[in-house]
Amino acid sequence: MLERLPSGSRIVVIRLRSLGDCVLTTPALALLKAYRRDLLVAVVVEDRFRPVFEGNPDIDEILAPSVGEIRRWQPRLTLNLHGGTRSMILAAASGSGLRLGFGHHRHSFLYSAKIPRAQEILNEERPVHTAEHIASAMFWMGVPRKEIPRARLMAGETAPFGHGSGSGMSQTVVQYGILHPFASLPSKTWGASRFLEVAAHMRDCGIDPVFVAGPDDDVSAFRDFRVIRGAPLAEVKSLMAGAQIFIGNDSGPAHIAAAFGVPVVALFGASNPVTWAPWRTEARVLTSPLGIDAIETREVIAAIESLKKVRA
């Protein structure tokens, strides 16, 4: 497909939402741009996830999920990596001569060409990571097969934490680690009391524990520690970029940490670690056949101890 595009052609990539999926789309975009730097690439994404792609040199434009905006971009090729109903409407109305998406997408008859399963493209019949699944679309389009890079996020200047009270910074800078004790489902959420034990261990080891939370998360259990709640995604990126370690449930913030090369301890419950493990960073993935509650605090502390020198 890419060989059919003249120099300067415009491509639109639809990835509407989901923090982890957005982060793990960036390796594929890096592969595309490395092969065809002459192409202009726009990403269609909802406003709340726009900061994932902001500042990325592999992206020439970020568009709102609007038919009008996409048609004004005048893409020659539209690649739908989302697959939901709204994304299918946007792809069909994009005005592109080439409309591509995975064949398993519902209403894939709207595509001018269907991308096969990642296993067929990679010639490996095994479970694939989400980063591999997305990047396989680029290989099928014509990018030469090569190693899939780490996710690529851009962060502003990081403001390191220091000793002191409240949210202010002091002159004594300390190392800090991020804990994210929340997830989309109870079956993916390790207990708050366990995270508190881990945070206490980190503090005893000279790593300042910092809990991050969304605006609707209940943070009352963590009031004795520093908590960053409801921060804009751009600020979360900067915070992650300066961390020494990340400990959290399988969720989007773990993928942000991995994108900055931060060592990650990821706790898995209902989701598949083969598909969603931290990508291209030092990591310890903890799981149990009995569910996430069966993961012991000592296992997490041992994982931290094995990783904490990696970021030094």
Side-chain angles (χ1 to χ4, degrees):
M1 294 292 174
L2 294 178
E3 294 301 322
R4 295 163 60 178
L5 299 179
S7 181
S9 294
R10 297 184 173 211
I11 291 177
V12 71
V13 177
I14 301 173
R15 176 65 262 174
L16 296 184
R17 68 181 76 91
S18 300
L19 184 53
D21 287 289
C22 287
V23 173
L24 294 173
T25 295
T26 63
L29 298 177
L31 290 168
L32 173 62
K33 270 290 194 172
Y35 179 58
R36 288 288 305 267
R37 183 61 60 181
D38 58 298
L39 299 176
L40 299 174
V41 177
V43 172
V44 177
V45 65
E46 293 177 357
D47 189 60
R48 58 183 168 146
F49 297 111
R50 183 185 180 97
V52 171
F53 301 106
E54 286 179 339
N56 190 326
D58 300 319
I59 300 167
D60 299 286
E61 195 70 48
I62 303 174
L63 304 177
S66 154
V67 171
E69 281 214 30
I70 295 172
R71 292 185 74 91
R72 279 192 290 274
W73 178 250
Q74 297 182 324
R76 280 180 173 262
L77 184 151
T78 294
L79 173 62
N80 186 6
L81 294 176
H82 190 89
T85 301
R86 188 183 182 196
S87 69
M88 297 300 297
I89 293 170
L90 293 172
S94 65
S96 299
L98 293 172
R99 298 180 307 282
L100 312 179
F102 284 99
H104 66 264
H105 288 169
R106 190 177 181 185
H107 307 307
S108 61
F109 65 87
L110 294 171
Y111 297 140
S112 57
K114 299 177 186 180
I115 302 171
R117 296 168 58 245
Q119 288 84 351
E120 296 176 46
I121 298 168
L122 301 175
N123 293 317
E124 297 181 53
E125 197 57 44
R126 59 174 174 81
V128 299
H129 193 277
T130 301
E132 296 178 292
H133 166 69
I134 299 170
S136 72
M138 301 301 167
F139 299 143
W140 183 81
M141 289 164 56
V143 173
R145 177 85 178 268
K146 61 187 296 188
E147 184 177 89
I148 301 165
R150 177 185 290 163
R152 190 174 197 179
L153 303 184
M154 305 295 119
E157 183 177 352
T158 60
F161 287 109
H163 290 300
S165 59
S167 60
M169 304 298 175
S170 73
Q171 297 301 312
T172 306
V173 175
V174 297
Q175 295 181 333
Y176 67 91
I178 303 295
L179 299 100
H180 183 249
F182 305 99
S184 57
L185 297 169
S187 60
K188 297 174 64 176
T189 307
W190 204 46
S193 62
R194 303 276 189 82
F195 275 104
L196 290 172
E197 292 177 44
V198 170
H201 171 81
M202 292 168 64
R203 189 159 58 186
D204 291 343
C205 294
I207 301 175
D208 194 12
V210 180
F211 285 88
V212 295
D216 300 322
D217 292 326
D218 180 4
V219 299
S220 58
F222 313 107
R223 58 185 175 273
D224 292 336
F225 293 91
R226 194 190 305 269
V227 176
I228 307 296
R229 182 173 180 238
L233 190 50
E235 291 183 19
V236 173
K237 289 195 302 180
S238 296
L239 182 66
M240 290 288 189
Q244 299 301 308
I245 195 166
F246 174 93
I247 302 98
N249 303 312
D250 167 40
S251 60
H255 296 294
I256 295 178
F260 290 112
V262 175
V264 173
V265 179
L267 295 94
F268 277 77
S271 49
N272 186 349
V274 174
T275 304
W276 291 107
W279 181 251
R280 300 284 189 221
T281 195
E282 291 287 337
R284 300 292 181 267
V285 174
L286 303 179
T287 186
S288 169
L290 301 177
I292 195 167
D293 288 337
I295 300 173
E296 307 230 358
T297 304
R298 61 178 175 78
E299 296 179 72
V300 177
I301 290 174
I304 293 171
E305 291 299 311
S306 71
L307 287 172
K308 68 182 184 180
K309 294 183 180 181
V310 173
R311 192 68 165 171

